[in-house]
Amino acid sequence: MDDDSELWVEKYRPKKISNFSGNKKNILLIRKWMDDFASKSQEYKPILLLVGDPGVGKTTLAGLILEEYDYDTIEINASKLEGKTEIHKNFDNITGKGIKVIYSKNNKTGVILDEVDGMAQNESTMKEFLSIIDPIESNREEKKKMKKQKKEPAKKIGYGFNSKLKKEQNEEDEGLSYEDLMIKKFDEGKKRKEEIFRKFPFRYPIICTANKANDKRMKKLCRRAIVIRMEGPTKQIFTKFAQKIVKAENIDIKSDALELLISRSNNDYRQLISNLQMV
C-alpha cells in the first residue's frame, strides 16, 4: 500500500511500547500483570481490564504488550457476542480444536476482548464468559445463589428439570427434596469442571477493553480483573503529536486552524489523525 492510500490511523499507530505516549505507570502495572500471569502468582487475577475514553489507545497498548511478551494476538469484538453459543464459537475458533485447547501448555496466544462493556449488557453472555475464564469462582457464586433459592418452591428453582431429576434419582438420593437433589447434581457437575480447570489452568492472557467500568453489570468481571484506568493525553502531548504528523506529511495549515482542529478532536488520537488526513 503506498503512502497516498495508506490509512494514517495505521501509519501512526505506535509500533513499540517505547513509542506509546503517556501512561508510563500504567504500562508498569500491565507488565506486572503479565509477569504474574507467567509465574501464576497468588496476586494474579485472570483478566486485565483497560478502561478509558475512545481513542486513548487501549487496544493498541494491549496489542503492544502481548507482542512484547511474544504472544500471537487474537482480537475479538466482545460487544457482538450474544449468548453461550457465540462465546464458545469464538473461543473454539481461536485454536480450531475446541475450548479445552485453551488450557494447553504449548499455546502462546493472547486474547484481546474489545468493548467488553457491550458484552456485559447480556447477562447470560457475561456469565458464560466468566465461567470459562474463572470456573471455580463462578461455581461458588452459583452455589451461593442456589442456596438462597432453596427455600423457594421447587418449580421456581427447578428450571424445568424436575422430571429429569426424578429419572436420575438413585437409592442414595431417596428422601432428598427436589431442592436438595438439584444442589447435589449441581455440585457433582461443577466439581468435574473444576477438576479439569485445576489440571489445565487457563493459559491465555485475557486483556479486555471498555469505555466505562462503573456499570453494575460489570461488577462480576471487575472482581476477577486488574482494572487499569487509561489516562488521556495532556494538551501538550496531544499538540506535539499533531505537529509531528503535520511536519511528516508536509501539511499546509495555519497554527490557529491546527489548534481548532486539535480542540475538536476530543483527545481522541484516532479522530485527530483522521482529521489531519482529511486536511
Side-chain angles (χ1 to χ4, degrees):
M1 185 180 289
D2 58 39
D3 288 343
D4 289 338
S5 60
E6 182 179 11
L7 285 175
W8 289 7
V9 168
E10 293 303 320
K11 184 176 181 180
Y12 289 100
R13 185 190 295 271
K15 302 299 187 291
K16 296 179 181 178
I17 289 288
S18 56
N19 301 137
F20 196 87
S21 298
N23 286 279
K24 301 305 179 187
K25 289 182 181 179
N26 284 338
I27 289 171
L28 292 176
L29 291 174
I30 296 170
R31 282 184 172 138
K32 183 182 184 306
W33 179 81
M34 292 293 293
D35 292 337
D36 287 344
F37 171 83
S39 64
K40 288 294 180 276
S41 162
Q42 289 185 347
E43 298 177 17
Y44 170 74
K45 289 192 175 184
I47 298 166
L48 177 70
L49 176 60
L50 302 181
V51 181
D53 294 331
V56 297
K58 301 184 294 292
T59 306
T60 296
L61 181 55
L64 291 174
I65 283 288
L66 290 173
E67 185 179 336
E68 181 178 77
Y69 280 77
D70 297 322
Y71 283 90
D72 294 327
T73 301
I74 300 292
E75 190 174 327
I76 301 171
N77 187 332
S79 67
K80 294 183 179 180
L81 301 181
E82 293 184 5
K84 296 180 181 181
T85 303
E86 281 296 310
I87 286 289
H88 283 282
K89 178 182 174 183
N90 277 272
F91 275 88
D92 290 353
N93 285 343
I94 290 172
T95 60
K97 297 179 181 178
I99 199 73
K100 289 183 181 178
V101 182
I102 292 176
Y103 305 120
S104 161
K105 292 182 180 180
N106 300 319
N107 271 322
K108 191 71 170 171
T109 303
V111 179
I112 298 175
L113 275 179
D114 267 330
E115 301 178 29
V116 75
D117 41 346
M119 182 175 75
Q121 307 306 308
N122 188 315
E123 186 177 350
S124 65
T125 307
M126 178 62 79
K127 182 179 176 180
E128 189 66 17
F129 167 65
L130 294 176
S131 74
I132 292 171
I133 302 305
D134 190 8
I136 295 174
E137 182 59 30
S138 294
N139 294 346
R140 287 195 194 104
E141 290 177 354
E142 194 70 17
K143 189 174 180 180
K144 188 176 179 181
K145 181 180 177 182
M146 290 181 74
K147 283 183 176 179
K148 282 184 180 179
Q149 294 174 322
K150 187 177 175 182
K151 295 179 181 179
E152 296 180 15
K155 285 184 180 178
K156 284 189 178 180
I157 70 167
Y159 302 108
F161 293 109
N162 285 346
S163 58
K164 184 180 178 182
L165 289 174
K166 266 187 179 180
K167 293 177 183 178
E168 291 180 354
Q169 276 182 311
N170 52 41
E171 292 180 4
E172 295 176 5
D173 299 331
E174 285 185 13
L176 291 178
S177 67
Y178 281 124
E179 294 91 339
D180 289 329
L181 181 58
M182 189 177 71
I183 290 174
K184 180 186 175 185
K185 296 298 181 184
F186 172 86
D187 286 343
E188 289 172 355
K190 296 304 181 182
K191 186 177 179 181
R192 288 193 293 270
K193 190 174 181 180
E194 288 181 8
E195 285 172 356
I196 293 173
F197 184 77
R198 287 191 177 99
K199 189 175 180 181
F200 303 102
F202 203 84
R203 298 185 180 276
Y204 281 10
I206 303 286
I207 303 180
C208 298
T209 73
N211 294 333
K212 295 180 181 179
N214 55 2
D215 189 311
K216 65 180 181 180
R217 286 167 286 200
M218 290 282 287
K219 277 186 178 180
K220 289 184 179 180
L221 184 139
C222 289
R223 282 204 297 269
R224 294 164 169 83
I226 296 294
V227 181
I228 294 179
R229 301 188 182 278
M230 296 277 290
E231 302 164 0
T234 63
K235 185 177 179 180
Q236 183 180 8
I237 290 175
F238 205 53
T239 301
K240 188 175 180 180
F241 182 75
Q243 290 170 341
K244 173 186 171 183
I245 297 176
V246 167
K247 183 178 180 180
E249 300 295 339
N250 196 26
I251 301 173
D252 184 14
I253 185 171
K254 293 181 179 179
S255 58
D256 56 344
L258 178 60
E259 188 174 337
L260 180 62
L261 185 147
I262 290 170
S263 68
R264 290 185 176 178
S265 295
N266 303 313
N267 265 23
D268 182 327
Y269 281 112
R270 288 194 304 260
Q271 190 173 336
L272 173 64
I273 295 169
S274 296
N275 288 341
L276 286 169
Q277 184 166 19
M278 285 176 67
V279 171

